[in-house]
């Protein structure tokens, strides 16, 4: 009995000696420079590339201009659409949030892995982060001055995380209350 293998071109070739299929699969997946290989970073790069491809097609379909940048920061892939248009941001970032979810679905379809990638359009998330940090600082100052809890406006999970981190860094506590989409951060001295 002879062992048969399929080549990359789809043709069947006969193996001259027994083949360990698991070993062949591992060898094909390893990069040329195994010393610099970081599986997590590579997976995050793949996520960014898959999302960028999807968003590039979307921009073509809606005939919008924009450059797409990808990078990895921490444990997340980041994709930015560099444009002057606010159309893909929408009111309070609602269109941006929807596009982020669609990009995550595109990554899932392409890679088979769930993604936590962050999408930004026209620098909206960076600007919003600065606004939220100021809001958190003001809430911390108010709580320290009055001793009373401060309830902030409703925010999405990404925005709440920024506020929670800023409050913790200032030495106070915070928690989220309410139900989406009206979930908010409450800052206190507890």
């Amino acid at each position: 009995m002879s062992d048969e293998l399929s080549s990359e071109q789809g043709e069947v070739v006969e193996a001259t000696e027994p083949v360990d299929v698991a070993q062949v699969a591992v060898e094909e997946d390893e990069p040329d420079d195994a010393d610099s290989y970081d599986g997590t970073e590579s997976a995050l790069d793949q996520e960014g590339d898959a999302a960028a491809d999807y968003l590039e097609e979307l921009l073509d379909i809606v005939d919008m201009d924009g450059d797409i940048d990808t990078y990895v920061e921490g444990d997340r892939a980041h994709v930015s659409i560099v444009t002057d248009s606010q159309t893909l941001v929408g009111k309070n970032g609602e269109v941006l949030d929807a596009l982020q979810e669609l990009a995550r679905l595109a990554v899932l379809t392409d890679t088979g892995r769930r993604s936590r990638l962050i999408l930004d359009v026209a620098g909206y998330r960076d600007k919003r982060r600065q606004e939220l940090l100021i809001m958190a600082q003001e809430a911390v100052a108010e709580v320290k001055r009055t001793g009373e809890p401060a309830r902030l406006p409703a925010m999405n999970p990404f925005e709440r995380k920024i506020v929670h981190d800023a409050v913790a860094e200032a030495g106070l506590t915070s928690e989220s209350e309410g139900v989406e989409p009206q979930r908010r951060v409450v800052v206190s001295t507890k």
Side-chain angles (χ1 to χ4, degrees):
M1 181 173 141
S2 67
D3 292 329
E4 294 182 347
L5 296 173
S6 294
S7 71
E8 289 181 20
Q9 290 80 21
E11 56 193 320
V12 176
V13 292
E14 190 171 313
T16 56
E17 52 188 61
V19 175
D20 181 355
V21 177
Q23 183 62 33
V24 170
V26 168
E27 288 174 0
E28 289 175 358
D29 289 340
E30 290 178 2
D32 292 335
D33 183 8
D35 291 338
S36 67
Y37 179 67
D38 176 358
T40 304
E41 186 174 30
S42 178
L44 293 174
D45 287 334
Q46 288 174 353
E47 288 181 16
D49 292 343
D53 290 345
Y54 172 78
L55 294 165
E56 188 76 48
E57 287 180 37
L58 182 69
L59 288 175
D60 287 344
I61 290 169
V62 296
D63 195 30
M64 292 187 76
D65 291 329
D67 293 323
I68 298 180
D69 292 331
T70 64
Y71 62 95
V72 173
E73 183 178 288
D75 62 347
R76 291 188 184 209
H78 290 255
V79 179
S80 294
I81 300 176
V82 181
T83 181
D84 291 331
S85 173
Q86 295 294 309
T87 303
L88 296 178
V89 173
K91 181 181 177 188
N92 298 320
E94 290 172 350
V95 175
L96 172 57
D97 289 340
L99 281 175
Q100 179 172 277
E101 289 307 310
L102 289 173
R104 288 176 174 177
L105 286 173
V107 170
L108 177 63
T109 301
D110 192 56
T111 67
R113 292 183 310 269
R114 294 188 62 133
S115 173
R116 296 177 53 227
L117 81 88
I118 300 292
L119 174 65
D120 193 6
V121 174
Y124 175 81
R125 291 217 195 270
D126 286 335
K127 291 175 204 159
R128 183 68 176 145
R129 177 185 304 270
Q130 294 308 312
E131 292 170 2
L132 291 167
L133 290 174
I134 291 168
M135 186 184 306
Q137 291 168 351
E138 290 171 352
V140 164
E142 178 184 336
V143 169
K144 285 181 176 180
R145 184 176 49 78
T146 67
E148 295 295 317
R151 286 176 171 69
L152 301 179
M155 298 174 200
N156 67 36
F158 174 79
E159 294 173 335
R160 289 194 309 269
K161 170 85 168 94
I162 293 168
V163 173
H164 285 304
D165 290 348
V167 170
E169 189 175 306
L172 295 181
T173 61
S174 61
E175 62 184 9
S176 294
E177 71 175 17
V179 179
E180 294 293 352
Q182 295 302 314
R183 200 151 164 82
R184 67 185 65 244
V185 174
V186 179
V187 180
S188 64
T189 59
K190 292 182 197 177

